[in-house]
Amino acid sequence: MILAREHQPLVKCEALGREAPLSIPTPDRFPPLLYVIASRQPGDAAGLPVDGVDGGSVSLLAVKIG
């Protein structure tokens, strides 16, 4: 959704289905993502610079704007 500029559904992620909230380990992890995508300007590209899992268990989403 971030890459496709479909940000609005992310604001109400619980409406995306029962599994959506399970992807957020703790409530304090999600607002920073919203702040980052809210800062995106019309000409800004977005990317996901980190791919994979560290140590076989740790995976965090990183979003690059601009």
Side-chain angles (χ1 to χ4, degrees):
M1 290 180 183
I2 294 169
L3 299 178
R5 291 189 178 271
E6 296 176 14
H7 303 153
Q8 192 59 37
L10 294 173
V11 174
K12 301 259 184 200
C13 73
E14 64 277 355
L16 295 173
R18 189 174 77 137
E19 295 83 11
L22 297 175
S23 68
I24 305 166
T26 60
D28 62 323
R29 302 283 182 136
F30 195 62
L33 175 65
L34 296 178
Y35 297 141
V36 168
I37 62 175
S39 71
R40 190 175 182 188
Q41 299 298 311
D44 289 345
L48 307 173
V50 178
D51 186 25
V53 176
D54 184 31
S57 64
V58 178
S59 174
L60 296 174
L61 178 68
V63 177
K64 179 181 177 186
I65 303 293

